[in-house]
């Protein structure tokens, strides 16, 4: 695994736990401010913004609950409102052409003879609820994993991650363990990538490539295999990304597999992916939430990492930096880049949304403009003036 590079950090204190309230130490890089944005969304699993800058979140717990569905946060500090209910395991949402597309599974019941995945489009929001809805895609395979993030991408198509049916065995369903795309009406469904165990996070990178966060197998021990951030080229035939036989060990099992853009800590459970062309002093970046390992002996994750996209398209692995740490085990899951340029992250157990705000770079002085004396020079002038006046 490529070593993580440490960034200069400042300590920020933020309340994270839901009940009882506790103080956790979160570290973010110098030049970034961590702010609380919303609280009171049960198990927020993913985030998206609409054209008016309002934040929308899916809610998905382990068991079916009344809170399941979609929540709206109209502004910072506002009380979240549930606007769609009855969506079990809603893990993805995106706005596209004035419709909100949500991925979830049916029926809305913890236990059922059979669950399947579905994408629904909602429209006609009147401030309290949506007046119209339609099923876009239905009958998607569900097993150990569910239908994941959904994003709008090139050619006006929607892209959806579908998890595998098991931890380390081949799936029986053709669409399991894939990324698929389809038109907004649901027509033209096709496979864009195969061999993905659990492609939770999706984001479109500069140049139209699709970034996919990928969970590795759980049966190979505490320290293997690495999780991944992959790149899907949306041209030509669907490529194979290795699951279940290849996990980066090389040799015959990996022949023909697409190498990852970045290798992440084993079992760190990468969640949503958010892309920024510029973020403060950082260049092109993919931010990946890491929900946290289910292996207590190897507690990876609970943070947000930054993957540099400066060399996207080259064969070398991209550098990875731990960007925000101390967010809590099995907390950071959803992510979105806001219209204000901040990075928004949902904390699953706490029911909160925080944002990371980059401080703007100081503007260089204009040629011929008024120059402001540095503090030390100003103090020296004041001292000399006091000496002249008062001896």
């Amino acid at each position: 695994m490529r070593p993580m590079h440490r960034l200069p950090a400042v300590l920020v204190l933020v309340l994270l736990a839901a009940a009882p309230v506790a103080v956790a130490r979160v570290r973010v890089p110098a030049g970034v401010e961590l702010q609380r944005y919303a609280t009171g969304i049960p198990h927020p699993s993913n985030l998206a913004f609409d054209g008016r800058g309002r934040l929308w979140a899916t809610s998905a717990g382990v068991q079916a609950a009344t809170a399941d569905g979609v929540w709206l946060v109209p502004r910072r500090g506002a009380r979240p409102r549930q606007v769609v209910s009855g969506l079990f395991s809603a893990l993805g949402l995106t706005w596209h052409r004035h419709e909100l597309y949500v991925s979830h599974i049916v029926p809305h019941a913890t236990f059922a003879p059979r669950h399947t995945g579905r994408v629904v489009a909602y429209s006609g929001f009147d401030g309290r609820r949506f007046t119209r809805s339609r099923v876009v895609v239905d009958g998607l395979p569900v097993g150990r994993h569910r239908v994941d993030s959904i994003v709008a991408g090139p050619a006006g198509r929607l892209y959806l991650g579908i998890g595998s049916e098991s931890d380390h065995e081949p799936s029986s369903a053709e669409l399991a363990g894939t990324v698929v795309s389809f038109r907004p009406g649901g027509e033209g469904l096709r496979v864009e990538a195969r061999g993905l165990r659990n492609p939770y996070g999706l984001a479109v990178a500069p140049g139209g490539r699709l970034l996919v966060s990928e969970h590795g197998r759980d049966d190979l021990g505490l320290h293997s295999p690495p999780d991944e951030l992959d790149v899907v080229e949306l041209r030509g035939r669907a490529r194979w990304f290795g699951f279940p036989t290849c996990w980066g060990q090389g040799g015959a099992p990996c022949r023909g597999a697409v190498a990852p853009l970045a290798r992440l800590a084993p079992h760190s459970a990468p969640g949503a992916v958010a892309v920024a062309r510029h973020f403060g002093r950082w260049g092109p970046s993919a931010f990946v939430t890491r929900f946290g390992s289910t292996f207590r002996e190897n507690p990876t994750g609970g943070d947000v990492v930054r993957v540099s996209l400066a060399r996207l398209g080259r064969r070398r692995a991209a550098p990875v930096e731990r960007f925000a740490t101390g967010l809590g085990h099995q907390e950071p899951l959803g992510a979105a880049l806001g219209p204000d340029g901040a990075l928004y992250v949902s904390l699953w157990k706490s029911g909160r949304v925080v944002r990371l705000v980059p401080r703007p770079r100081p503007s260089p002085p204009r040629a011929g403009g008024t120059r402001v004396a540095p503090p030390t020079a100003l103090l020296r002038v004041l001292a000399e003036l006091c000496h002249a006046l008062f001896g």
Side-chain angles (χ1 to χ4, degrees):
M1 177 179 174
R2 188 181 182 88
M4 300 273 190
H5 299 286
R6 295 188 178 273
L7 292 172
V10 293
L11 184 62
V12 181
L13 298 181
V14 61
L15 297 177
L16 291 179
V21 175
V23 176
R25 291 186 174 183
V26 178
R27 292 183 180 271
V28 297
V32 175
E33 181 182 354
L34 183 71
Q35 300 176 349
R36 278 192 281 180
Y37 190 82
T39 185
I41 306 173
H43 299 119
S45 53
N46 230 323
L47 304 174
F49 283 90
D50 64 14
R52 294 173 54 181
R54 296 177 298 186
L55 179 65
W56 302 75
T58 45
S59 173
V62 176
Q63 298 181 341
T66 56
D68 294 344
V70 179
W71 292 67
L72 167 65
V73 183
R75 61 190 177 279
R76 183 185 180 189
R79 183 177 180 178
R81 303 198 306 267
Q82 187 177 17
V83 295
V84 179
S85 61
L87 303 183
F88 186 35
S89 197
L91 298 180
L93 76 170
T94 192
W95 279 94
H96 182 61
R97 297 178 183 173
H98 308 293
E99 288 186 294
L100 179 64
Y101 291 78
V102 183
S103 60
H104 65 102
I105 66 174
V106 293
H108 183 244
T110 304
F111 303 103
R114 181 171 179 260
H115 285 106
T116 57
R118 176 181 290 177
V119 175
V120 179
Y122 296 90
S123 59
F125 186 67
D126 63 8
R128 299 181 60 185
R129 63 184 182 88
F130 290 96
T131 59
R132 297 181 297 276
S133 67
R134 60 185 178 88
V135 175
V136 181
V137 178
D138 206 359
L140 300 171
V142 169
R144 180 185 178 98
H145 304 108
R146 310 295 173 86
V147 287
D148 296 315
S149 295
I150 182 170
V151 296
R157 298 178 70 86
L158 292 156
Y159 296 79
L160 173 71
I162 303 175
S164 61
E165 293 177 314
S166 70
D167 172 67
H168 56 273
E169 297 290 340
S171 297
S172 60
E174 182 182 0
L175 295 181
T178 68
V179 172
V180 300
S181 73
F182 47 87
R183 299 188 187 97
E187 310 90 356
L189 188 145
R190 70 187 183 214
V191 176
E192 302 286 354
R194 302 180 185 277
L196 296 161
R197 180 177 174 272
N198 191 27
Y200 190 95
L202 301 180
V204 179
R209 299 179 179 92
L210 190 68
L211 300 182
V212 182
S213 67
E214 161 75 335
H215 295 206
R217 292 166 52 166
D218 285 341
D219 67 320
L220 297 173
L222 293 178
H223 305 289
S224 181
D227 291 339
E228 298 177 355
L229 182 65
D230 296 318
V231 180
V232 177
E233 298 283 352
L234 301 176
R235 297 188 300 270
R237 63 180 179 85
R239 300 288 302 278
W240 178 63
F241 284 79
F243 178 80
T245 56
C246 172
W247 56 88
Q249 77 274 36
C254 293
R255 189 172 296 122
V258 179
L261 172 66
R263 293 189 175 189
L264 309 176
H267 312 302
S268 56
V273 182
V275 170
R277 291 182 178 272
H278 298 283
F279 191 84
R281 59 185 171 89
W282 293 270
S285 306
F287 296 98
V288 185
T289 62
R290 299 198 301 182
F291 184 64
S293 173
T294 56
F295 293 86
R296 294 188 178 275
E297 299 85 354
N298 183 29
T300 54
D303 54 15
V304 176
V305 296
R306 173 186 172 267
V307 178
S308 173
L309 300 180
R311 298 181 178 180
L312 184 62
R314 301 186 183 183
R315 290 181 178 266
R316 295 181 61 184
V320 178
E321 302 167 335
R322 296 189 73 191
F323 201 78
T325 62
L327 291 168
H329 180 249
Q330 295 188 347
E331 282 278 28
L333 185 55
L337 195 72
D340 56 356
L343 175 65
Y344 291 72
V345 175
S346 70
L347 303 178
W348 186 78
K349 285 195 300 187
S350 301
R352 300 173 185 267
V353 176
V354 298
R355 66 178 177 184
L356 283 71
V357 183
R359 298 192 186 104
R361 294 182 179 181
S363 301
R366 295 180 180 179
T370 303
R371 299 188 65 184
V372 179
T376 52
L378 184 60
L379 290 174
R380 185 169 60 251
V381 171
L382 289 174
E384 291 174 355
L385 179 61
C386 289
H387 179 75
L389 290 176
F390 305 108

